[in-house]
Amino acid sequence: MKQNNATSGLLATTLIFLLALQAIEAHASHPATKQVAPKLIVGITVDQLRTDFINALQGKLTSGGFRRLLGQSLMFEQVLYNCDMPDATAAMAVLATGVEPFYNGVTGQNTFDAQQLRRQSILFDKDVTGTFSSLQVSPKALLSTTLGDELKIASEGTSRIYSIAPDAETAIIGAGHMGDCALWFDEKEAKWAGSSYYREFPKYFVKKNDQQPLSVHLGSLRWEPMVKSDDRLEIMPYSPISNGFSHDFIQYGKHAYSWIKTSPVINDAIVELARLSMRDGKIGKGKNTDMLQLTLYAGTYQHAAPEAYAEELQDIYLRLDKSLNDLLNYIDAEVGLSNTFIYVNGTGQVATPSSEIANLSQGIFTASRCTSLLNSYLISLYGQGNWVAGYHDNQIYLAHDFIARQNIKLSEIQQAASEFVMMFSGVADVVTQHQILHNVANERIENLRKIYNRKTGGDLVITLQPGWAFKEKDNSPTQQQLRHDIAPGPAIFFFPGITPKRITAPINAKAIAPTLARLIRIRAPSGCTTAPVSLNQ
């Protein structure tokens, strides 16, 4: 009996072993589906894109543009920057690097060179030349790697990175340090331009400039509503409706190409160049993952207050929707949406002139008068000299080299200057560079620190009282203060296998780059310290 039990136990053990072996062999012959890297990554940054405007226009949108993106994606309804982004350039840099301007070096589109006493691009580089442009710009001032750079490193240089934008700065930030091509529209030359920093300026872009320049069509280029508005505007229901609008761009003379950059014309042109990149440049058809960075526009016409061009603003959204529909269809035909990872971001804020209200108009702050009187005051304290270098973007720049030769402590003269400027009518607050860098003591200074960079920032940062206008010089035109209003811009993740979902909680702009990096299995940009967000929750 004991022998029979032993035999039965041995047979059972052998049977279990054979069944387990069979299961292992079956699993080996049918392995789990391997996650395949996309053939193409498309990053779309839309300047001043608003989620609430998209929602308001649902009834007028095509099925293949925003509605396709929103219906088949995971979307955060708001990207939160946690500080005032002065323009699309600064916002784009945060999205690309995962760190704020204090660390990535890009505080806005332009800066002031206190040694050369001139305004210049934040990305100015004297060692490069422009292609179809007089601009000398490169990514050398960008102090962190970008998502595209990390893709290039991960692929050992085989991925191709193209960036196309209305302006040089956003194009270059999209291409990063290791990109292949950065393309922007040069207003002076009326052509698509690039930088000698990048190794490619493809022949099909040259052909586009030679055979189909925008200047040839300028005389017939007219912008009218795509869809006639009904009794009200969906995006701005309190704005009165006129009989439509019509803009012949040639009438604006030297400003024509600047205003084109604030119209749907620029979006259509960028989408057309994206198609050329895929068709003629074979972007998305190589052995490794390629990246295409596009910057589009959804702000107000001529950067005016929204109520001044409300009908135009609604038309920009409707035409942008059509452009996205065309782009997605073309990607599907050329590369396949099943092989493509697409993400779309807004820039988080809208910067527009404050509306003039007669009884709220307080006065005009003149920058040249302020700097002249400040220099005279510093002469009375420290002796003859040119103590003030200049004024730019609500910041006063002191002459650092001259101050150093006088053996005066910079923080001392900054404090004296701030106390004097604080006495000017219209000035609400003055913060010194020393306070920003060393005395993070309150919320206001902490927020200033995020958008400040010690290499390009001024010595004094001035805030004007509400209702005060601004002039560069006595004979300069008066400018209304810019309002930096929150624009609830979305973050959209559109790729195969994603579970469609809308998330009302905001996503930190600094978390987007590391989140994308984890999704495509590469390192986050070098300056990034923010944790990625899980998209599976």
Side-chain angles (χ1 to χ4, degrees):
M1 180 69 69
K2 289 182 180 180
Q3 186 176 0
N4 290 338
N5 288 341
T7 302
S8 298
L10 179 62
L11 288 172
T13 302
T14 303
L15 181 60
I16 291 171
F17 173 77
L18 290 173
L19 289 172
L21 183 62
Q22 185 179 14
I24 292 171
E25 289 175 346
H27 181 75
S29 63
H30 300 283
T33 304
K34 183 179 179 182
Q35 187 175 1
V36 179
K39 300 293 291 181
L40 178 63
I41 298 169
V42 181
I44 304 174
T45 303
V46 186
D47 185 16
Q48 302 176 52
L49 180 66
R50 296 182 59 129
T51 308
D52 54 342
F53 285 1
I54 298 172
N55 292 338
L57 289 168
Q58 282 293 319
K60 292 190 173 182
L61 299 177
T62 66
S63 60
F66 279 119
R67 286 168 62 184
R68 172 161 43 173
L69 282 173
L70 271 56
Q72 301 176 30
S73 70
L74 186 147
M75 184 186 87
F76 290 87
E77 292 191 353
Q78 183 173 355
V79 179
L80 201 61
Y81 286 84
N82 292 320
C83 56
D84 287 342
M85 286 292 105
D87 55 33
T89 302
M92 180 79 171
V94 174
L95 294 169
T97 64
V99 288
E100 59 257 5
F102 186 84
Y103 296 106
N104 69 38
V106 178
T107 56
Q109 184 175 22
N110 298 305
T111 188
F112 182 79
D113 186 329
Q115 292 185 327
Q116 299 296 324
L117 303 181
R118 68 184 183 192
R119 295 180 182 180
Q120 61 189 28
S121 169
I122 192 79
L123 301 181
F124 172 76
D125 183 356
K126 63 180 178 60
D127 296 324
V128 301
T129 57
T131 305
F132 295 106
S133 175
S134 60
L135 284 177
Q136 295 176 271
V137 282
S138 84
K140 292 178 184 177
L142 188 62
L143 304 180
S144 168
T145 62
T146 66
L147 192 70
D149 293 334
E150 295 298 338
L151 176 62
K152 198 81 166 179
I153 293 168
S155 68
E156 297 184 342
T158 58
S159 292
R160 296 171 68 202
I161 316 293
Y162 275 36
S163 177
I164 309 171
D167 300 305
E169 291 77 16
T170 46
I172 286 174
I173 291 168
H177 298 274
M178 302 182 69
D180 299 281
C181 178
L183 200 70
W184 69 88
F185 185 73
D186 187 277
E187 299 167 23
K188 293 182 180 178
E189 299 294 331
K191 292 184 177 181
W192 292 98
S195 168
S196 64
Y197 175 90
Y198 298 103
R199 65 180 185 178
E200 292 186 24
F201 194 93
K203 291 181 179 179
Y204 50 88
F205 289 151
V206 176
K207 183 178 178 181
K208 182 75 173 175
N209 275 337
D210 290 342
Q211 297 184 3
Q212 295 177 308
L214 197 56
S215 57
V216 170
H217 308 289
L218 187 62
S220 60
L221 198 57
R222 176 180 296 170
W223 177 23
E224 294 179 334
M226 186 174 72
V227 178
K228 183 172 174 54
S229 299
D230 300 323
D231 58 339
R232 66 182 180 86
L233 294 172
E234 281 78 3
I235 63 170
M236 297 182 68
Y238 303 106
S239 294
I241 293 180
S242 63
N243 293 323
F245 61 85
S246 180
H247 298 289
D248 292 302
F249 289 101
I250 197 169
Q251 69 178 321
Y252 299 117
K254 65 179 182 179
H255 296 297
Y257 297 112
S258 296
W259 299 150
I260 282 174
K261 284 186 176 184
T262 65
S263 78
V265 175
I266 195 67
N267 294 334
D268 291 342
I270 289 171
V271 168
E272 170 62 23
L273 293 178
R275 289 198 291 261
L276 285 178
S277 300
M278 288 181 277
R279 187 191 70 193
D280 298 345
K282 309 301 180 185
I283 293 294
K285 299 177 182 179
K287 292 182 179 180
N288 233 318
T289 302
D290 293 332
M291 177 178 280
L292 187 59
Q293 289 283 351
L294 307 176
T295 305
L296 304 176
Y297 185 76
T300 55
Y301 183 52
Q302 299 186 8
H303 304 294
E307 55 271 17
Y309 292 107
E311 291 179 79
E312 286 85 345
L313 184 57
Q314 178 155 310
D315 195 65
I316 284 175
Y317 272 78
L318 295 176
R319 291 182 181 274
L320 175 60
D321 175 61
K322 182 179 180 300
S323 296
L324 290 172
N325 175 72
D326 294 344
L327 177 63
L328 292 174
N329 286 341
Y330 198 84
I331 292 172
D332 199 24
E334 288 290 317
V335 182
L337 287 175
S338 60
N339 301 315
T340 305
F341 187 112
I342 299 172
Y343 62 98
V344 182
N345 295 306
T347 54
Q349 291 193 354
V350 177
T352 56
S354 301
S355 298
E356 293 188 48
I357 301 176
N359 59 356
L360 290 181
S361 181
Q362 301 296 322
I364 299 173
F365 177 86
T366 306
S368 61
R369 194 179 302 175
C370 175
T371 54
S372 177
L373 291 173
L374 174 60
N375 196 71
S376 298
Y377 174 70
L378 295 177
I379 287 173
S380 71
L381 293 180
Y382 301 107
Q384 287 294 325
N386 293 320
W387 300 95
V388 181
Y391 185 100
H392 169 70
D393 193 24
N394 295 329
Q395 298 178 65
I396 291 178
Y397 292 74
L398 300 178
H400 285 205
D401 290 344
F402 177 75
I403 292 169
R405 290 196 298 269
Q406 311 309 309
N407 293 319
I408 299 173
K409 194 174 180 180
L410 184 59
S411 60
E412 175 192 331
I413 197 168
Q414 286 177 349
Q415 184 60 33
S418 71
E419 292 172 359
F420 178 77
V421 173
M422 191 65 203
M423 294 188 292
F424 273 71
S425 297
V427 173
D429 191 21
V430 182
V431 179
T432 70
Q433 181 192 64
H434 186 270
Q435 289 174 310
I436 294 171
L437 297 180
H438 303 290
N439 298 321
V440 182
N442 58 53
E443 184 179 354
R444 167 156 171 69
I445 293 180
E446 185 178 353
N447 286 334
L448 278 176
R449 180 183 171 91
K450 292 176 183 177
I451 59 171
Y452 186 89
N453 186 267
R454 64 184 308 165
K455 286 188 175 182
T456 58
D459 294 271
L460 308 180
V461 180
I462 300 172
T463 302
L464 296 181
Q465 296 278 5
W468 277 75
F470 167 82
K471 276 187 177 184
E472 289 279 354
K473 300 177 181 178
D474 285 324
N475 58 352
S476 299
T478 301
Q479 304 173 36
Q480 297 300 313
Q481 285 192 64
L482 289 181
R483 288 179 50 166
H484 293 273
D485 298 326
I486 296 294
I492 300 170
F493 300 90
F494 180 92
F495 59 91
I498 189 73
T499 301
K501 187 187 304 182
R502 289 186 69 141
I503 300 174
T504 56
I507 183 173
N508 188 330
K510 295 189 296 182
I512 290 175
T515 299
L516 292 166
R518 184 171 70 174
L519 287 170
I520 58 178
R521 303 188 301 282
I522 62 174
R523 293 185 310 182
S526 59
C528 184
T529 59
T530 303
V533 174
S534 174
L535 301 183
N536 297 319
Q537 294 179 353

